[in-house]
Amino acid sequence: MKYKIKLVIIIVLQILTIGCDQFLDVKPNKNLVVPATLDDCQALMDNKVLIEKGLGSGEVWSDDYFLTDANYLSLAENFRTMYRWDRSFIYEGAFNDWKTTYDQIYLCNLVLETLGKIDAKENEKMFYNDVLGQALFHRAHYYFQAVILWGAAYHPNNSKSELGISLRSNLDGDEKTVRASVEECYTYILNDLIRALDVLPETSISPVRPTRYAVASLLGRVYLSMGAFDKARQYIEIALDHNASLMNFNSMNSNLANSFKQFNVEVIFESRGVYPAMLTAKKANVAKELIDLYDQKDLRLKLYYAYISAGQYTFKGSYEGNATFFNGISTNENYLNMAECLARAGTLDLAIDHIINLWKNRMSDFNVDQARSDLKAMNQHTLITMILLERRKELPFRGLRWMDLKRLAALGEISTMSRLVEGQVYELKTDSRHMLLPIPENIIKLTGIKQN
């Protein structure tokens, strides 16, 4: 049995690396694929070489870091292009989020198609539903990350006319490639998650397997990105009612090279971001604008960042427990998602409660009464602005900043971003077109879909 499962994984790896070079421009040979049992499908869902590689392009385009000229010049040309916010041939090397996306979509569809052929026995139905829910969750998670990169920001007034990404629900390589509307993309993502919510268990053997509460948390994130704050609140509440744990940063050692352990109490779903080398501590310096947001009582400053020299900090606060980037779902995000939803609904006292609960575990010498008084003195707009700044301070390098920049740009709440490279200023306008990453040129040539 173990030999057969290993063979399944090897064959799928060969398809993804050779026979399925882009998925949307190559027709995979399904006859080579041999998963046939629930154990086969679970093995594919558990293999982290194959599944849940968080997309990094949004972090590259975001504003939480900068490169020195020396580090910039050490990069391959496609990464220099990305850093300058140029739009041509940014996926020329091994780093290719488009390929990563559709490799994972292929894998999820492979598992879902296999499950459709399995007649589960009564004693296998819980196992069957668990694997089904995992595949639906992963597919939705990838499609959501992809639409944030390549689809227009969601707005109910134009979501049916704006372009999203290509949606695939099967392994048919002959199916014509088209870009679905933004509305169709979000409907598809939400439908997958609602189905997953109905079948996934409440607990799992490890955070690498999604649970019902991981689904609820992701539903909250998706609805937040859509500006559907009432819906987001509904699902975040489900997740927080189950797990509202927070680490107390007062009891943590800021002198460690990596401040946090993997699978800590805040982790609801474990996923690792596959980010290019330009974002590692050896290359990327944390933006001064971000560092300046923390005051001296904020323990996150020393737990999240390593001081190098004047004006230079590097990131060390990954929930992976090492130098790689956490791209999953955690309770601290849910606190901030809930606080924003409550504040936008005008329920300011409850929003303040969530911020206070977070701050109690993030600040030294924290005065609850003074903090509450300061927050209650804010009007709704000021409180929302503060919560958005808290998101940036609490969730850096998580794969979330580009989502926030994009949704806030659509609301007119941010303006042009800029970078200084070799003495020249480069700007990224925050209008709708410039907040869309370019689709790889070979995909445009082979499929004829419209470029961003």
Side-chain angles (χ1 to χ4, degrees):
M1 174 65 74
K2 290 183 178 178
Y3 173 80
K4 180 177 181 291
I5 290 173
K6 287 180 180 179
L7 181 61
V8 170
I9 293 172
I10 290 170
I11 291 173
V12 173
L13 274 169
Q14 289 175 334
I15 289 171
L16 295 183
T17 57
I18 301 173
C20 189
D21 187 41
Q22 294 292 349
F23 183 23
L24 289 183
D25 61 304
V26 176
K27 299 176 178 57
N29 183 352
K30 293 192 329 184
N31 293 326
L32 294 176
V33 184
V34 295
T37 69
L38 289 175
D39 285 328
D40 292 343
C41 293
Q42 183 63 74
L44 291 177
M45 291 289 94
D46 282 342
N47 191 292
K48 294 305 167 184
V49 176
L50 298 175
I51 198 72
E52 276 305 332
K53 301 172 182 177
L55 306 183
S57 296
E59 286 296 327
V60 174
W61 274 42
S62 77
D63 57 352
D64 279 347
Y65 76 105
F66 72 93
L67 301 176
T68 64
D69 285 347
N71 283 340
Y72 166 78
L73 291 171
S74 71
L75 299 174
E77 183 54 38
N78 65 304
F79 291 136
R80 294 189 205 178
T81 300
M82 290 186 79
Y83 186 66
R84 297 191 307 265
W85 294 311
D86 287 348
R87 303 186 61 79
S88 300
F89 300 99
I90 66 173
Y91 295 118
E92 286 294 280
F95 175 76
N96 187 330
D97 274 346
W98 184 275
K99 173 176 167 52
T100 298
T101 296
Y102 287 98
D103 281 351
Q104 312 313 307
I105 297 301
Y106 175 86
L107 179 63
C108 293
N109 287 339
L110 172 61
V111 168
L112 290 168
E113 185 171 287
T114 303
L115 291 173
K117 299 174 182 176
I118 295 174
D119 184 15
K121 298 176 183 177
E122 189 63 34
N123 64 348
E124 296 176 323
K125 286 185 178 178
M126 286 182 63
F127 184 18
Y128 180 96
N129 284 337
D130 192 356
V131 180
L132 173 65
Q134 291 173 53
L136 291 168
F137 174 90
H138 288 307
R139 185 168 70 178
H141 192 203
Y142 261 98
Y143 273 144
F144 178 60
Q145 292 179 80
V147 79
I148 290 296
L149 296 179
W150 295 293
Y154 185 90
H155 193 288
N157 291 342
N158 57 20
S159 63
K160 293 182 180 179
S161 58
E162 294 281 8
L163 289 177
I165 55 174
S166 179
L167 297 172
R168 291 297 178 98
S169 58
N170 55 57
L171 305 178
D172 183 4
D174 293 318
E175 183 178 315
K176 181 177 174 57
T177 298
V178 296
R179 291 181 68 177
S181 71
V182 169
E183 180 73 25
E184 290 169 330
C185 290
Y186 276 91
T187 298
Y188 195 101
I189 292 162
L190 292 170
N191 284 343
D192 270 1
L193 290 175
I194 295 298
R195 288 178 64 196
L197 189 70
D198 286 340
V199 295
L200 278 174
E202 295 190 355
T203 61
S204 66
I205 62 172
S206 167
V208 300
R209 290 187 184 177
T211 64
R212 184 172 187 269
Y213 300 108
V215 178
S217 300
L218 185 53
L219 278 163
R221 184 191 291 179
V222 173
Y223 276 119
L224 185 81
S225 77
M226 299 169 68
F229 301 111
D230 288 343
K231 279 284 191 180
R233 176 181 173 180
Q234 172 187 336
Y235 288 105
I236 300 164
E237 194 166 30
I238 292 171
L240 282 174
D241 282 348
H242 173 72
N243 181 8
S245 300
L246 290 169
M247 291 179 284
N248 189 334
F249 285 9
N250 284 281
S251 63
M252 303 190 71
N253 184 357
S254 63
N255 294 317
L256 297 176
N258 300 293
S259 300
F260 303 101
K261 293 181 180 180
Q262 191 181 41
F263 306 148
N264 63 65
V265 296
E266 294 184 11
V267 174
I268 298 169
F269 172 68
E270 154 68 22
S271 174
R272 179 175 298 179
V274 180
Y275 297 173
M278 63 194 293
L279 287 173
T280 63
K282 293 182 178 179
K283 298 285 187 184
N285 289 289
V286 181
K288 182 179 184 299
E289 175 189 356
L290 175 54
I291 293 296
D292 287 346
L293 293 177
Y294 301 92
D295 64 39
Q296 290 306 306
K297 289 187 177 182
D298 196 326
L299 298 165
R300 291 172 293 193
L301 180 61
K302 292 184 178 180
L303 287 167
Y304 282 4
Y305 310 108
Y307 175 79
I308 306 302
S309 62
Q312 290 191 309
Y313 290 79
T314 58
F315 180 66
K316 67 166 189 173
S318 172
Y319 278 16
E320 289 298 316
N322 54 39
T324 59
F325 294 91
F326 178 75
N327 186 249
I329 299 170
S330 55
T331 57
N332 57 342
E333 179 193 350
N334 280 342
Y335 270 90
L336 289 163
N337 289 351
M338 179 63 88
E340 182 180 345
C341 291
L342 291 166
R344 290 188 183 274
T347 316
L348 304 189
D349 285 345
L350 286 177
I352 289 169
D353 287 343
H354 283 77
I355 294 299
I356 293 291
N357 285 335
L358 180 65
W359 280 353
K360 285 191 298 187
N361 293 282
R362 299 304 190 251
M363 307 292 179
S364 63
D365 301 320
F366 183 62
N367 186 321
V368 173
D369 292 336
Q370 183 61 54
R372 189 177 300 278
S373 176
D374 292 343
L375 291 171
K376 288 176 82 66
M378 296 180 181
N379 61 29
Q380 182 181 24
H381 175 76
T382 304
L383 183 62
I384 291 171
T385 300
M386 185 280 298
I387 291 170
L388 294 173
L389 289 176
E390 274 301 306
R391 284 183 65 83
R392 191 175 184 189
K393 291 157 66 178
E394 180 70 22
L395 306 170
F397 302 99
R398 291 279 196 94
L400 296 174
R401 180 60 180 164
W402 186 251
M403 180 190 85
D404 283 344
L405 288 170
K406 191 166 180 175
R407 68 188 180 93
L408 297 177
L411 295 171
E413 295 181 10
I414 62 168
S415 56
T416 299
M417 297 185 289
S418 64
R419 282 175 177 162
L420 181 65
V421 183
E422 295 189 287
Q424 182 173 346
V425 175
Y426 293 86
E427 293 187 339
L428 180 67
K429 297 178 180 179
T430 56
D431 58 63
S432 58
R433 177 183 181 274
H434 289 89
M435 299 300 282
L436 302 175
L437 271 70
I439 295 170
E441 285 78 1
N442 65 320
I443 297 297
I444 302 300
K445 181 178 179 180
L446 288 163
T447 66
I449 60 176
K450 186 178 179 180
Q451 179 61 282
N452 283 328

